[in-house]
């Protein structure tokens, strides 16, 4: 530690100021017990999804056995069995694969489009700004569920189409935020000094300004992740989600429509409990992250 | 507004006329003869060159004539007009009650800001939002209508005196669904005002906390709240897709649900256009309302 500090003594003040927002946020998250607990829950879900995907847990999620249909929850089948005698618990565990991938890829696509568009619009201004603003205002004025349904109609069913439909429709808020922040940042002295040192447009956008804007992307990533998981359920209801038979929480909740009146609540129960855990954890973590990164709230 | 409307016509046109598979196959089935397909294409006008199809779709907006529904063969505009009154019956009372209730709760959490009460309310709001809206609808319908029989399970009556029994349970669900998100947004709006200098001044001159809260904080916090409320208003007219589908209410939401189920593109496209027009109108109204309630903004 001390030798490192001694050798790079000249760099320390510069590095510290560059990372202080993130380091500060990191410290605040570590001090926040709710945030830490949520992080643990999120990691558990990701691990569960990975293990299920690679066939290490809940392998018999598609094993049908009609002799065992509609078993009530018991110690052997924690959430009972469904119409085909499949373990509801194992299907719910497999549902985390769909949920985590849908949330992650939808948010990733939206993050990429939103940040790029917002950066270009805010940085260049002029006709670039005008056309990007026009595009996102247009998309924003179409009611979300209609836009989403239209995209799904055009692209067709299937998991990867779902990523794209969700991603292509969820980038607008992020784009608007990034654009506004770029408008502010590009006036600052550090961008001017980068320019005077001969930094290209590309360098200035992605190496100088972007790191100062990226916290917006991180917060929006969580929000889009959560909304994608919730919209998957509604799209399943409309018959526009993943194909029937795939064990997603949306499909499970929708199967329960016919089952509830006959008293079979466990399909609904398992999917709701599993979804609740993941969505609440991401929501709470995101809330803590926003507080940790928001400079306005810091002094209070 | 005009450029955005232009953008919406282009996006819907690309999605419904260019990207999508041949609607004639969708309507007639895959085994239909080529002559039959050609006949359907001629009926739908999809055998025309793309620019003619585009001009037709633009003309539809100005004449408010969206052709005939593919499934019911009735005029789309008439069907939409007939859906207005059921949708408004469902949405307007629920919207007003939920806003008033959320503002009261948000004032309460702001009063207890930073204490366990505030924290509990925020976590509860996030928890409420972590359950799919579909689950609320199914559980409420099952419990209160199917099991306890307090409300009818579903149905509708056109007469103004008998329709109310069918919307009470949907109102309850609407209020529960909107409580979480509303509370969080309003709380932020109120807290933003809470730390302003004029609030400190009001307290310093010895005003009671209640007076500070209602006469100073609430009055100023209403500016962003009114803007948010006005922007949400298009949903009053377009109705609630999920609630109307589950409770058999023949409003615009229920209409859209059927249209999506039947791949009835003229209806979906008309709903996209109308939804967008409403959104743009109410956005403009929100700007005007903002100028009216906030004397610091002057319309030039």
């Amino acid at each position: 530690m001390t030798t490192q500090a001694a050798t790079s003594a000249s760099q320390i003040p510069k590095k510290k100021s560059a990372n202080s927002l993130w380091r500060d946020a990191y410290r605040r998250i570590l001090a926040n017990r709710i945030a830490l607990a949520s992080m643990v829950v999120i990691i558990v879900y990701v691990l569960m999804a990975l293990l299920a995907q690679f066939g290490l847990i809940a392998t018999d999620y598609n094993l049908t056995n009609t002799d065992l249909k509609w078993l009530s929850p018991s110690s052997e089948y924690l959430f009972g069995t469904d119409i085909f005698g499949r373990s509801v618990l194992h299907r719910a565990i497999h549902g985390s694969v769909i949920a985590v991938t849908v949330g992650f890829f939808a948010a990733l696509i939206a993050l990429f489009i939103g940040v790029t568009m917002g950066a270009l619009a805010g940085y260049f201004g002029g006709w670039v700004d005008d056309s990007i603003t026009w595009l996102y205002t247009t998309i924003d004025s179409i009611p979300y569920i209609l836009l989403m349904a239209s995209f799904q109609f055009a692209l067709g069913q299937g998991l990867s189409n779902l990523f794209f439909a969700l991603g292509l429709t969820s980038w607008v808020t992020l784009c608007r935020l990034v654009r506004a922040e770029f408008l502010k940042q590009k006036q600052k002295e550090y961008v001017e000094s980068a320019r005077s040192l001969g930094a290209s447009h590309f360098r200035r956008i992605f190496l100088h300004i972007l790191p100062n804007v990226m916290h917006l992307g991180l917060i929006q990533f969580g929000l889009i992740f959560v909304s994608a998981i919730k919209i998957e359920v509604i799209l399943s209801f409309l018959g526009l989600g993943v194909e029937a038979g795939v064990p997603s929480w949306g499909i499970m909740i929708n199967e329960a429509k016919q089952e509830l009146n006959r008293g079979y609540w466990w399909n609904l129960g398992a999917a709701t409990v599993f979804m609740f855990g993941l969505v609440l954890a991401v929501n709470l973590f995101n809330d803590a992250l926003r507080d940790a990164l928001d400079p306005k709230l810091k002094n209070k | 507004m005009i450029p955005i409307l232009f953008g919406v016509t282009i996006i819907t046109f690309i999605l419904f006329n260019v990207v999508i598979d041949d609607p004639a196959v969708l309507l007639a089935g895959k085994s239909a003869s080529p002559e039959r397909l050609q006949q359907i294409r001629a009926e739908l006008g999809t055998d025309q060159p793309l620019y003619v199809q585009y001009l037709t779709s633009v003309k539809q907006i100005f004449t408010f004539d969206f052709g005939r529904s593919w499934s019911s063969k009735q005029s789309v505009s008439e069907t939409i007009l007939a859906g207005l009154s059921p949708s408004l019956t469902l949405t307007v009372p629920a919207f007003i009650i939920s806003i008033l209730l959320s503002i009261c709760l948000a004032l309460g959490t702001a009063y207890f800001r930073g204490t366990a009460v505030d924290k509990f309310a925020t976590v509860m709001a996030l928890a409420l939002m972590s359950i799919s809206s579909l689950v609320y609808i199914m559980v409420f319908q099952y419990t209160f209508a199917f099991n306890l029989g307090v409300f009818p399970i579903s149905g509708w009556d056109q007469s103004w005196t008998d329709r109310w029994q069918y919307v009470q349970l949907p109102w309850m669900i609407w209020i529960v669904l909107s409580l979480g998100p509303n509370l969080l947004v309003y709380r932020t709006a109120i807290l933003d005002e809470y730390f302003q200098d004029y609030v400190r001044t009001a307290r310093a001159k010895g005003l009671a906390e209640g007076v500070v809260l209602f006469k100073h904080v609430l009055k100023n916090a209403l500016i962003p709240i009114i803007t948010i409320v006005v922007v949400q208003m298009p949903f009053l007219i377009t109705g609630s897709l999920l609630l109307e589908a589950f409770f058999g209410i023949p409003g615009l939401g229920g209409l859209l649900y059927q249209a999506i189920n039947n791949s009835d593109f003229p209806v979906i496209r008309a709903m996209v256009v109308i939804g967008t027009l409403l959104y743009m109108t109410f956005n403009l109204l929100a700007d005007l309302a903002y100028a009216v309630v906030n004397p610091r903004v002057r319309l030039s």
Side-chain angles (χ1 to χ4, degrees):
Chain A
M1 275 295 278
T2 42
T3 49
Q4 263 184 351
T7 49
S8 58
S10 61
Q11 283 178 357
I12 282 178
K14 190 177 142 209
K15 251 221 141 61
K16 205 175 171 191
S17 67
N19 284 337
S20 70
L21 173 76
W22 294 100
R23 208 168 287 174
D24 207 31
Y26 181 65
R27 224 177 297 125
R28 280 158 172 272
I29 294 277
L30 284 188
N32 186 337
R33 249 176 295 167
I34 294 181
L36 279 183
S38 318
M39 202 152 73
V40 171
V41 173
I42 297 168
I43 292 170
V44 168
Y45 268 94
V46 173
L47 281 178
M48 185 164 74
L50 283 174
L51 289 175
Q53 176 63 31
F54 292 110
L56 295 170
I57 51 167
T59 41
D60 53 350
Y61 71 97
N62 239 348
L63 190 73
T64 55
N65 184 350
T66 38
D67 294 340
L68 298 173
K69 77 172 179 182
W70 299 132
L71 291 183
S72 308
S74 61
S75 54
E76 195 185 346
Y77 293 104
L78 205 57
F79 275 105
T81 56
D82 69 359
I83 187 168
F84 300 115
R86 300 175 294 196
S87 162
V88 171
L89 175 68
H90 287 182
R91 289 185 75 73
I93 290 175
H94 254 265
S96 64
V97 178
I98 309 273
V100 171
T101 42
V102 163
F104 182 78
F105 284 108
L108 201 65
I109 293 170
L111 187 72
F112 178 75
I113 303 176
V115 168
T116 316
M117 297 279 228
L120 294 178
Y123 182 83
F124 286 111
W127 67 268
V128 181
D129 187 22
D130 287 344
S131 26
I132 291 176
T133 310
W134 170 77
L135 183 66
Y136 75 64
T137 323
T138 304
I139 291 187
D140 202 30
S141 24
I142 305 175
Y144 187 77
I145 199 75
L146 278 167
L147 181 69
M148 194 56 222
S150 314
F151 262 89
Q152 275 296 79
F153 264 122
L155 295 173
Q157 275 192 325
L159 199 56
S160 51
N161 288 343
L162 190 61
F163 300 155
F164 279 106
L166 284 164
L168 287 173
T169 50
S170 314
W171 54 273
V172 170
T173 314
L174 177 59
C175 177
R176 183 176 288 148
L177 292 171
V178 169
R179 175 183 168 271
E181 198 58 33
F182 258 77
L183 283 175
K184 237 190 296 171
Q185 296 282 342
K186 74 171 178 187
Q187 314 275 355
K188 297 235 170 116
E189 287 88 349
Y190 73 89
V191 183
E192 189 59 30
S193 61
R195 194 175 73 94
S196 61
L197 286 171
S200 63
H201 285 309
F202 182 85
R203 239 188 125 73
R204 268 178 273 160
I205 294 176
F206 291 103
L207 285 170
H208 292 272
I209 306 182
L210 196 59
N212 294 313
V213 174
M214 223 34 223
H215 62 282
L216 296 171
L218 205 60
I219 295 169
Q220 280 294 316
F221 189 90
L223 292 177
I224 300 169
F225 184 93
V226 164
S227 83
I229 292 176
K230 285 166 81 178
I231 289 165
E232 190 266 326
V233 179
I234 292 171
L235 286 175
S236 296
F237 170 67
L238 297 174
L240 296 170
V242 291
E243 296 93 340
V246 176
S248 88
W249 296 334
I251 299 273
M252 289 174 73
I253 289 174
N254 281 293
E255 281 170 353
K257 255 184 310 185
Q258 284 85 32
E259 302 166 2
L260 211 53
N261 294 351
R262 291 151 71 192
Y264 307 133
W265 53 268
W266 33 92
N267 228 341
L268 180 73
T272 307
V273 167
F274 271 77
M275 198 177 126
F276 179 75
L278 179 60
V279 173
L280 182 62
V282 176
N283 269 336
L284 287 173
F285 184 75
N286 222 34
D287 210 44
L289 190 68
R290 187 168 25 197
D291 286 351
L293 285 170
D294 188 347
K296 247 172 45 186
L297 285 169
K298 264 185 193 162
N299 303 323
K300 281 160 195 152
Chain B
M1 261 179 100
I2 299 295
I4 293 167
L5 196 57
F6 173 68
V8 172
T9 59
I10 294 211
I11 288 182
T12 49
F13 182 76
I14 291 174
L15 287 174
F16 284 104
N17 293 51
V18 183
V19 183
I20 222 153
D21 294 335
D22 190 352
V25 181
L26 210 69
L27 283 179
K30 284 202 171 74
S31 53
S33 66
E35 297 79 39
R36 174 85 186 109
L37 287 180
Q38 198 50 48
Q39 187 194 343
I40 295 177
R41 283 191 201 113
E43 273 173 34
L44 302 177
T46 51
D47 56 345
Q48 307 274 337
L50 281 179
Y51 76 94
V52 177
Q53 291 186 40
Y54 178 71
L55 289 179
T56 319
S57 72
V58 173
K59 200 180 120 208
Q60 287 179 338
I61 299 171
F62 288 104
T63 54
F64 203 71
D65 173 13
F66 296 97
R68 290 186 177 276
S69 151
W70 286 355
S71 54
S72 72
K73 307 287 175 219
Q74 279 172 335
S75 150
V76 174
S77 326
E78 274 169 36
T79 324
I80 284 176
L81 284 177
L84 271 180
S85 125
S87 275
L88 290 172
T89 315
L90 165 69
T91 55
V92 173
F95 187 67
I96 294 171
I97 298 170
S98 80
I99 287 171
L100 293 180
L101 195 63
S102 310
I103 290 181
C104 291
L105 286 173
L107 278 174
T109 56
Y111 183 78
F112 290 108
R113 71 202 169 277
T115 68
V117 179
D118 178 32
K119 193 134 224 158
F120 177 75
T122 321
V123 172
M124 271 306 285
L126 284 174
L128 279 174
M129 288 160 66
S130 303
I131 299 173
S132 170
S133 40
L134 221 57
V135 175
Y136 283 103
I137 298 176
M138 281 158 69
V139 169
F140 272 65
Q141 195 179 32
Y142 174 71
T143 316
F144 293 105
F146 185 83
N147 229 356
L148 299 175
V150 188
F151 304 101
I153 293 175
S154 76
W156 187 249
D157 199 315
Q158 274 303 338
S159 92
W160 278 98
T161 45
D162 291 331
R163 62 171 59 173
W164 304 104
Q165 53 171 323
Y166 297 108
V167 286
Q168 284 161 8
L169 187 55
W171 284 349
M172 252 169 71
I173 300 172
W174 175 301
I175 292 164
V176 171
L177 281 176
S178 57
L179 213 52
N182 280 355
L183 178 62
L184 291 183
V185 174
Y186 298 170
R187 176 179 169 274
T188 314
I190 292 171
L191 280 185
D192 274 348
E193 293 298 325
Y194 236 115
F195 297 108
Q196 300 285 335
D197 291 338
Y198 72 86
V199 179
R200 199 189 309 136
T201 313
R203 271 203 210 104
K205 70 181 184 189
L207 289 183
E209 189 65 20
V211 180
V212 176
L213 198 61
F214 283 98
K215 272 195 89 169
H216 294 254
V217 174
L218 180 61
K219 234 175 162 179
N220 283 287
L222 276 180
I223 297 171
I225 291 177
I226 286 175
T227 319
I228 298 164
V229 166
V230 175
V231 173
Q232 285 174 340
M233 280 176 154
F235 290 107
L236 298 182
I237 297 164
T238 52
S240 160
L241 180 90
L242 295 178
L243 284 172
E244 290 177 21
F246 266 92
F247 288 95
I249 298 170
L252 294 185
L255 186 70
L256 181 65
Y257 172 65
Q258 282 169 3
I260 290 176
N261 263 347
N262 302 330
S263 306
D264 197 342
F265 294 154
V267 178
I268 299 177
R269 198 151 55 175
M271 291 291 284
V272 171
V273 170
I274 291 171
T276 311
L277 281 173
L278 286 170
Y279 178 88
M280 291 192 304
T281 316
F282 279 94
N283 248 350
L284 192 69
L285 283 179
D287 288 346
L288 294 176
Y290 188 77
V292 170
V293 290
N294 187 356
R296 283 166 292 187
V297 177
R298 287 269 164 266
L299 292 175
S300 52

